[in-house]
Amino acid sequence: MKKNAFFIMLIVTFALSGIAHYAHWDMIAQFAFSAIAILFVAGFLGKATESVAHYAGQRLGGFLNATFGNAAELIIAIFLVREGLFDMVKASLTGAIIGNLLLVLGLSMLLGGIKFKQQHYNVEAAGHNATLMIMAVIGLFVPAVFVTSENFSVRKDEILSLSVAGILILSYLLWLIFSMITHKDILADEQAPPDHGEEPAWSKRTSVLYLITATVMVALVSEWLVGTLDTFSARFGLSELFIGAFVIAIVGNAAEHSAAVMLAMKNKIGAAVEIAIGSSLQIALFVAPVLIFVSTLFGQTMDILFTPIELTAIAVAVFIAQSVSRDARTNWYEGALLIMVYLILGIAFYLV
Amino acid sequence: MKKNAFFIMLIVTFALSGIAHYAHWDMIAQFAFSAIAILFVAGFLGKATESVAHYAGQRLGGFLNATFGNAAELIIAIFLVREGLFDMVKASLTGAIIGNLLLVLGLSMLLGGIKFKQQHYNVEAAGHNATLMIMAVIGLFVPAVFVTSENFSVRKDEILSLSVAGILILSYLLWLIFSMITHKDILADEQAPPDHGEEPAWSKRTSVLYLITATVMVALVSEWLVGTLDTFSARFGLSELFIGAFVIAIVGNAAEHSAAVMLAMKNKIGAAVEIAIGSSLQIALFVAPVLIFVSTLFGQTMDILFTPIELTAIAVAVFIAQSVSRDARTNWYEGALLIMVYLILGIAFYLV
Amino acid sequence: MKKNAFFIMLIVTFALSGIAHYAHWDMIAQFAFSAIAILFVAGFLGKATESVAHYAGQRLGGFLNATFGNAAELIIAIFLVREGLFDMVKASLTGAIIGNLLLVLGLSMLLGGIKFKQQHYNVEAAGHNATLMIMAVIGLFVPAVFVTSENFSVRKDEILSLSVAGILILSYLLWLIFSMITHKDILADEQAPPDHGEEPAWSKRTSVLYLITATVMVALVSEWLVGTLDTFSARFGLSELFIGAFVIAIVGNAAEHSAAVMLAMKNKIGAAVEIAIGSSLQIALFVAPVLIFVSTLFGQTMDILFTPIELTAIAVAVFIAQSVSRDARTNWYEGALLIMVYLILGIAFYLV
């Protein structure tokens, strides 16, 4: 598609979706317009990320993308926390984690792997990602076991949840220091051969500006789309858990999704992995703990206890993703396996 | 042993075992004859596999062996499913998985490792095997958690079991495409140095013919032997679970057993690993799911829910086996550890 | 500190601590003197170990240190077993395992990693350590699952506990044969560049003599210190579980602690890892099973069943430690993560 045509479609679909939302058109119309708009705004975000990644290096670019992608989720979740809808918050966090580890990572590996026989990325980064994933599982798992088998009081449950949340946030901040400052060079992907003649479309400054704009647009359209889901869940008889863990998570991650897959198909699998795994780590180690502190500010502490099936889903996603990603080589079959596990979990959640 | 002497013993013991079975001799006589016969038919299968592997390469040879070995088990299991003996089917599937991962793999590494200080095989294949093992555990584990903690109805349990079974079979078929077609070269063991002067005993065609013949003979003798076990379990006070998970599994895997160990002792550890791990993966990802569909055809769907101790046994076997095999280097101690874990599980099952 | 000044302080603080103990001074005074003395005796042990390691090689030195460190723990535990205090024994074993895997290993990696950007050790040794850790978890986990879900009788529980204990001890003895005899060379750390001009302070014979003396001193001071803890737990309202799993474990491991950290800061991370992981493996695979047999000699068999939260703590420690150590490269962040997990477990145990 020519560049100008793309920008026109982007603006038109975005505007229509906004009008439909604010003018309270029929829910089906709202859904249709925002579903089309999300394709273009996500595509825009993908291009902007790629351009920024060109200037910033694959890892920093991936980190920026993960952060911008999760900013939207964090904002939506804070609204839910304020309403006291803790179960739906946890379901959507679970969905975001497994969606990134299984669906986003899986599609990137699958589509990238169909085009390139084998894709490589930095093996040190893979090892650290795997360890951080285990850290995330531990942080969610330990409180569940202790509170359940020792019959903790509500007060102790609160203390434990806040302590673990603090430790997870600290771990994440130290990780940023480690990966962005002290050991930046060790984790960098080897310089990919220069893309002959393929100059980035935009200047450095324009790229960053577009990245921010695109993120805001994605956040808005996601919210409009999410707003229509209640009607849908009622009409199709879907449970809140399924809506939270799958529908919201898929729509909310459309941005990471398209960006990661586009990068993978340009053989930049390192950046794609960084988006997918980085995003899920950010949710488990930063977004979820921050929400616990936020809930305390709102007057009622949300505990860090996920349900057994949520913990199972997260643990399963982490184990298969780290087994697949640990060797820092990917191919289409590894992607297919991740998607298979996502299907198993999707069916199981659908039946709940 | 001279070749002719071997063939004579093979035919004599096989014939005696068959006569004892069909003429309904005393159970102890039936047991004794079939136990002796199994040594020779398994030895025959081992030689035939080795010869086919010589022509086909280690991996394809290993796959053929695993398939032929499991054909017998599949047939026996279908009979059990038709009778509705679902618990014994699951116990024998569990036993086959842990028997291959712990006993067959363990003995291969131990005996191969006593002869050769360190044995190596393809590291890519090791990584994929590890991931597939985790996939198998996930496929068996997720339904158990969801059905138990969410009180699924029988109808939902059936839907989940059939869906997961379908996804596991699809994963296995894609794996065949991946490992036999698109990425065959990457997974191949490096060409072992040619065995100077050690020509295969038989031509390509004879080898294949012998492989099929040997498999049929093993299947028959296994069945005769299994038929005598009821009497034994009654006499020695063994539980059905122990019989299913250990006795049937050991006897039924005699073929893989002898083939794998013989290959390991010729420093073809790659083929030995392929037989042991390939066979257990085939059972978890193909045989078990197929049996679920078969049970539906017979009118009553067998669910995919294994008991907690069966799941524990499988998970434990998978974790230690993948930890040992992941680095694609083996030695006697790794083999000894696998056997130790098999002993722990054997004693625990015996006490149930 | 000058060498003579150190020796004077060592002897003075040790003597004062002993006098305070045997003359039954006030508990607070006893605590203060033994707490100061432990710093010097542990420092002495660290120097002696380092000197012995210089002569013996990093691995054997580490093994010797782990053994001498655990001798003290074994003796204390035997006294507890004789009194029938099985729960406190298991709590202190749990504490020793997680203390070594998380705190000792974590501090070594953190402090060594602040000084050196990346530290390396033998990758074969790392792989085997990881497998042995999984073996230890299996040995503790399988009996718990079987006994709980199958309602084993006390008699069966005893048989299973003794069998598993025997298998774990056998695994450990085979490991010594493997690592010290048949595959010694494969597991050795590559010769570190010779420390220019840094000659060991003591002769070989003096080093060994000092190692033994220092171990005895550490054992004595640890015991004196432990004796004061009852009063403390009462005054500060700490549970026996927390005292057993954290306070006793930290004090009892002061020796491994200081030795490992000092080695890590001299870039001998291989020896530090060997002390930390080797010590926890020795406890899980040797000390714990031996205690079960010892309890049988005293007339009442202690079973091998740990509580769910103890098993969770051990499993969590093993998973994060093996994820961190598997690649045989360490840095400050990996150390920090281990300490974070230790903090999470510490807070959880404190709240019980």
Side-chain angles (χ1 to χ4, degrees), chain C residues 45-60:
Chain C
L45 183 58
K47 281 179 206 289
T49 304
E50 201 190 320
S51 187
V52 169
H54 181 96
Y55 293 107
Q58 285 193 43
R59 295 199 81 252
L60 182 57

Side-chain angles (χ1 to χ4, degrees), chain A residues 124 128 131-132 134-135 138 145-146 149-150 152 156 163 167 170-171 174-175 178 182-183 185-186 326, chain C residues 117-118 309 312 316 320 323-324 329 331-334 336-337 340-341 343-345 347-349 351-352:
Chain A
E124 290 268 354
H128 279 94
T131 302
L132 279 163
I134 289 174
M135 180 74 189
I138 289 173
V145 172
F146 274 75
S149 63
E150 298 293 320
F152 273 22
K156 283 189 175 178
S163 309
I167 291 171
L170 183 57
S171 303
L174 291 176
W175 168 246
F178 177 79
T182 70
H183 287 61
D185 51 331
I186 286 179
R326 183 137 233 165
Chain C
K117 187 161 186 178
Q118 212 174 27
I309 60 171
T312 302
V316 154
I320 191 88
S323 183
V324 154
R329 279 175 298 226
N331 54 54
W332 69 263
Y333 184 67
E334 295 186 332
L337 269 190
M340 296 291 164
V341 175
L343 280 180
I344 291 178
L345 291 175
I347 293 166
F349 270 90
L351 291 171
V352 169

Side-chain angles (χ1 to χ4, degrees), chain A residues 263-300:
Chain A
L263 287 163
M265 293 184 72
K266 300 207 172 184
N267 210 12
K268 292 176 179 167
I269 193 74
V273 168
E274 193 55 36
I275 290 174
I277 297 187
S279 181
S280 60
L281 286 175
Q282 209 171 55
I283 288 164
L285 298 177
F286 187 74
V287 174
V290 161
L291 288 173
I292 287 171
F293 284 107
V294 167
S295 72
T296 305
L297 295 182
F298 285 144
Q300 193 200 346

